[in-house]
Amino acid sequence: MGDLNGALIEEAARKSGLLWLALPELPQPRAAWHVWHDGSVYVLTGGEGEQPLPGLPEATTVPVILRSKDKGGRLLTFEAAVEPVEPGTTLWDEVAPLLAKERLNAGSHDGQLERWARESYVLRLTPTGAVTESPGSYDASYAAAPTVPTPATTAGPPPRMYGAKRRRADR
């Protein structure tokens, strides 16, 4: 991996707590919270109430999409090797507390690491050096991705507003 691409990956992963993974079982990339530590991205999946990333524990490589912290748009895409972090190893003891610290809106932090060791996967995503998209190297056609199908519908007409003056835009 080039020094510039490696530095860009590290900077973007450190600054943003969110990335997208192009998982093999899904039609569109899935957002995931993560931690950057020691040259790799670490994500947690599986278990009750944790982020679902179907197919990631079985994958050997996965495309990772990082966003720009200031604009929120796609910054770069790179290939990452996927390897599990086994509970009880020194790497687990180093990374699991970092993930627990970054885990927002957890139902309960009591026994969280033990629950993750039993029910979840902590996965290490290490950049392989293949940067597939970087600033200036892609076109904007990715923004035209189809919407995700959903059973959600509008419940009815929009609510009426009584006693207020209508805005010019509403006329």
Side-chain angles (χ1 to χ4, degrees), residues 48 50 103 105-113 115-116:
E48 185 67 32
E50 301 303 338
R103 174 67 168 98
N105 302 325
S108 171
H109 290 288
D110 297 330
Q112 186 176 45
L113 296 179
R115 188 176 71 248
W116 285 354

Side-chain angles (χ1 to χ4, degrees), residues 9 12-13 18-19 64-68 73-78:
I9 289 171
L18 187 68
L19 53 75
V64 178
I65 303 163
L66 293 174
R67 69 183 183 145
S68 167
R74 181 185 302 212
L75 184 61
L76 64 105
T77 303
F78 66 93

Side-chain angles (χ1 to χ4, degrees), residues 25-50:
E25 296 182 10
L26 299 177
Q28 290 184 309
R30 171 83 47 103
W33 62 272
H34 72 284
V35 170
W36 175 268
H37 176 70
D38 202 23
S40 296
V41 171
Y42 293 88
V43 296
L44 175 83
T45 185
E48 185 67 32
E50 301 303 338

Side-chain angles (χ1 to χ4, degrees), residues 79-96:
E79 287 290 322
V82 179
E83 56 185 298
V85 177
E86 298 297 330
T89 63
T90 56
L91 185 57
W92 172 276
D93 294 339
E94 194 175 322
V95 171

